[in-house]
Amino acid sequence: MAGKGKTGRPSARSKGAAAKTESGRLRLRLRAVTHQAEDTRAFEFVDPDGRELPPFTAGAHIDVHLPGELTRQYSLCNDPVERHRYVVAVLREPAGRGGSRTLHDHIKVGDVLEITAPRNNFAIDKRAKRHLLLAGGIGVTPMLAMIHTLQAGGADFTLYYCTRNWDKTAFRDELGPLIETERAIVHHDDGRIERSLDLGKLLKQPAAGTHVYYCGPAGFMRAAKAAAEHWPKGTVHFEYFSVDAAPAQGAPQAADTAKKPGADFQIKIASTGQVLDVPLNRTIVEVLAAAGISVETSCEAGLCGTCRTRYLAGEPEHRDYILDEDEQREYVLICCARAKSHLLVLDL
Ligand code: FES
């Protein structure tokens, strides 16, 4: 796996493709910023020389590397057939961790930012006969890319889009034709919980062949998770866009001394046989880095999948938000996982 480099120097480029830094990131120019709703802007990134960008599929996100060592993941919302641009939409959150404020307040058209090529943990399931898209606020962004793809393929879908009011409803123009034909249903709650869309009622009866996708802020994610709990395995897809929105995973306690979930353990590097201790206060990624083994990371919170690593033996204690049960049998997200067994053998 590639290391998380700090250099911004461009490396050799192949004809027609966007240039990458030595660390594999793209250097893209902010071409346009457009107002989409109160506190929400869309940011369009292009290659400075007009070259093609790496392709992406609906539901994918990019990592935007901002000044001050900030890295933020944003879902792409433009049509995945486009190769000349990446578009993300960002809600300015005054009480957030700083990424949205930096983008809104300090990044200007013409600035060049490093961006990690798209990855997708929230893909459309092609087995579905019908797609039910549930968006809370800015969680609509991956749904927009999905809608482009679903429409192009003639798929059956409905978007339920929950916002506070029309002023807070991003992409209302783009969604206009779908709203008119009721393929997109916008629900306003005026910021009052008692006026929230009744997701329990909407998802009460799973329909054969229907898959549900949801993305939104913390309360919305909790409600959607609870409402979809009884849906058949493999039919529910979701993406958390911040740790704040994700369910609590339970941090290890320093007082834990006996071997139990979250306590210290060892990892073994399968290719070399090297065994390393993972103490309570270090992540597997940190232990690997200290031993000179760099693993690419991004969110470092179990949300993006960048650090996904195969394991060959032992029992992980998964603490991520994206692996399903089948994936958990093969992979572990080593930025956040612990181990239930004393030894976890990693395919590194
Ligand atoms: S770095 Fe994002 S899941 Fe591990």
Side-chain angles (χ1 to χ4, degrees):
M1 290 185 183
K4 187 178 179 180
K6 302 290 183 198
T7 173
R9 280 175 291 148
S11 59
R13 63 184 63 178
S14 61
K15 192 171 179 235
K20 288 184 178 173
T21 66
E22 287 173 355
S23 57
R25 296 175 185 170
L26 303 162
R27 283 173 56 80
L28 303 185
R29 184 169 59 83
L30 181 60
R31 198 188 79 85
V33 179
T34 51
H35 174 87
Q36 291 297 336
E38 191 181 310
D39 297 328
T40 300
R41 292 178 185 165
F43 297 82
E44 178 187 334
F45 294 96
V46 297
D47 179 81
D49 299 324
R51 293 169 187 257
E52 279 197 343
L53 303 178
F56 69 97
T57 52
H61 69 271
I62 53 173
D63 294 353
V64 179
H65 301 275
L66 296 163
E69 298 281 303
L70 293 175
T71 301
R72 294 291 181 268
Q73 291 79 44
Y74 296 112
S75 297
L76 292 166
C77 59
N78 56 310
D79 190 336
V81 300
E82 295 179 342
R83 295 292 304 276
H84 67 291
R85 64 176 189 156
Y86 293 148
V87 183
V88 299
V90 180
L91 170 70
R92 188 182 187 281
E93 297 184 90
R97 294 173 298 142
S100 68
R101 289 198 306 277
T102 299
L103 258 174
H104 274 249
D105 302 348
H106 301 296
I107 304 297
K108 296 181 289 302
V109 167
D111 286 353
V112 173
L113 296 180
E114 292 191 5
I115 285 175
T116 304
R119 285 189 294 268
N120 199 342
N121 300 316
F122 192 39
I124 292 171
D125 194 321
K126 295 193 176 112
R127 296 168 300 177
K129 292 192 179 70
R130 183 164 180 268
H131 307 264
L132 197 52
L133 313 178
L134 310 178
I138 197 64
V140 76
T141 50
M143 309 302 182
L144 295 172
M146 288 181 176
I147 287 171
H148 283 296
T149 299
L150 293 171
Q151 279 190 305
D156 183 3
F157 70 90
T158 305
L159 167 71
Y160 286 85
Y161 179 17
C162 301
T163 65
R164 181 178 288 238
N165 52 45
W166 279 118
D167 288 344
K168 296 267 189 190
T169 304
F171 300 102
R172 49 192 282 191
D173 292 342
E174 186 173 331
L175 290 169
L178 292 176
I179 294 169
E180 274 174 30
T181 54
E182 297 190 347
R183 297 189 85 183
I185 293 156
V186 180
H187 178 92
H188 297 314
D189 62 14
D190 299 319
R192 293 165 61 175
I193 195 150
E194 67 274 17
R195 291 199 183 170
S196 300
L197 178 66
D198 190 344
L199 292 171
K201 189 172 165 192
L202 185 66
L203 301 182
K204 187 171 180 186
Q205 193 61 54
T210 297
H211 283 224
V212 59
Y213 307 75
Y214 61 88
C215 183
F220 183 86
M221 296 302 281
R222 276 195 298 275
K225 182 175 189 289
E229 216 121 52
H230 61 294
W231 278 56
K233 188 180 166 198
T235 64
V236 180
H237 314 270
F238 50 85
E239 180 152 85
Y240 289 95
F241 51 64
S242 76
V243 181
D244 302 339
Q249 297 289 66
Q253 299 300 308
D256 286 351
T257 49
K259 181 71 199 84
K260 54 186 175 182
D264 51 335
F265 57 95
Q266 291 183 313
I267 51 171
K268 184 174 180 180
I269 313 303
S271 60
T272 62
Q274 189 178 11
V275 174
L276 301 166
D277 292 326
V278 184
L280 276 171
N281 59 352
R282 309 282 295 279
T283 66
I284 296 175
V285 165
E286 288 170 343
V287 167
L288 289 170
I293 303 166
S294 69
V295 173
E296 192 180 358
T297 61
S298 176
C299 71
E300 300 188 0
L303 295 168
C304 72
T306 308
C307 64
R308 187 167 112 143
T309 302
R310 194 187 305 274
Y311 66 95
L312 305 175
E315 187 181 2
E317 181 194 341
H318 297 282
R319 293 188 167 208
D320 63 89
Y321 303 97
I322 59 175
L323 295 183
D324 63 27
E325 282 175 19
D326 291 339
E327 291 170 322
Q328 285 182 351
R329 280 192 276 276
E330 196 174 349
Y331 296 100
V332 57
L333 299 192
I334 57 175
C335 68
C336 56
R338 310 296 297 174
K340 293 176 183 168
S341 52
H342 285 282
L343 183 69
L344 189 62
V345 183
L346 300 175
D347 189 14
L348 291 172

